[in-house]
Amino acid sequence: MQGTPLERRCASLGNLCLVLGILEIGYCGQRVILQLLNDRIVRAERAFFPSGAHPPPAGIYSEAEAFAHRVAPWEIARTVPFVVAAVALLFIAHRLRQGDLAALGAARQWALAALGVVAVSLLVQIIAIVPATMDYQARVVEMLPTPPHGKAPFDVGQFTSSMTIVGLGFGLAFGAVGMSVWPVIFYIWAGRLRAEAAAQPVMPAG
């Protein structure tokens, strides 16, 4: 695009926002579709693997289907704010690609709102999804067959529960950090461009 070097850098930032916004909408759409189809996927697996040399414990597919049905609304609910944020990012991207320096302020506000979306998503996981996952894991462990040579040398249920807690903890932490990287970078990047724009001398009219 034609314009000052600062406006061209704003346009480059807008191009990046455009790509990330489109990718985020696609990813969120895939997540929603997967949640809507999860119980059907479980039923298809049950029909495809009805028996065999080592069939799964009776009732495990029912528990998996119930778990998918239980967490799907929460997964979709925590995905919707990301879709809204991505759409807002596309509008900001359009303004930045036009060299609109005033959009830098909106960009910084978006970054703060995006961090809020990440926090809400994390809260939903802690309150609703993690307890459901722990409950599902406990029910599955109860269905596992006993060792053929008597009692196991350690408590399988306790070990599985501990590993699930550790895995969920790391998943939540890394997920929250990963989703916060772009808003933080965007906030700093837009802030520097905004400061540079404010430092430019005002050209007299006429």
Side-chain angles (χ1 to χ4, degrees), residues 108-129:
R108 285 167 64 85
Q109 293 175 357
W110 178 92
L112 295 177
L115 291 175
V117 169
V118 173
V120 170
S121 174
L122 183 62
L123 184 62
V124 170
Q125 291 179 82
I126 293 174
I127 292 177
I129 297 176

Side-chain angles (χ1 to χ4, degrees), residues 24-35 71-86 117 120-121 124-125 129 179:
E24 180 67 14
I25 291 175
Y27 174 72
C28 290
Q30 171 262 325
R31 281 183 56 85
V32 171
I33 293 173
L34 183 62
Q35 292 302 321
V71 301
W74 293 106
E75 289 286 1
I76 294 173
R78 78 182 187 91
T79 301
V80 170
F82 286 99
V83 176
V84 175
V117 169
V120 170
S121 174
V124 170
Q125 291 179 82
I129 297 176
M179 290 185 293

Side-chain angles (χ1 to χ4, degrees), residues 92-170:
I92 294 174
H94 175 72
R95 293 177 60 188
L96 292 173
R97 294 176 75 237
Q98 299 299 317
D100 183 3
L101 300 180
L104 294 171
R108 285 167 64 85
Q109 293 175 357
W110 178 92
L112 295 177
L115 291 175
V117 169
V118 173
V120 170
S121 174
L122 183 62
L123 184 62
V124 170
Q125 291 179 82
I126 293 174
I127 292 177
I129 297 176
V130 169
T133 303
M134 295 297 298
D135 181 60
Y136 168 68
Q137 171 266 322
R139 292 176 182 273
V140 170
V141 169
E142 290 177 357
M143 297 180 185
L144 295 178
T146 57
H149 302 294
K151 188 176 180 181
F154 58 89
D155 189 333
V156 176
Q158 184 63 40
F159 175 77
T160 306
S161 177
S162 299
M163 294 304 296
T164 301
I165 293 173
V166 172
L168 289 172
F170 274 107

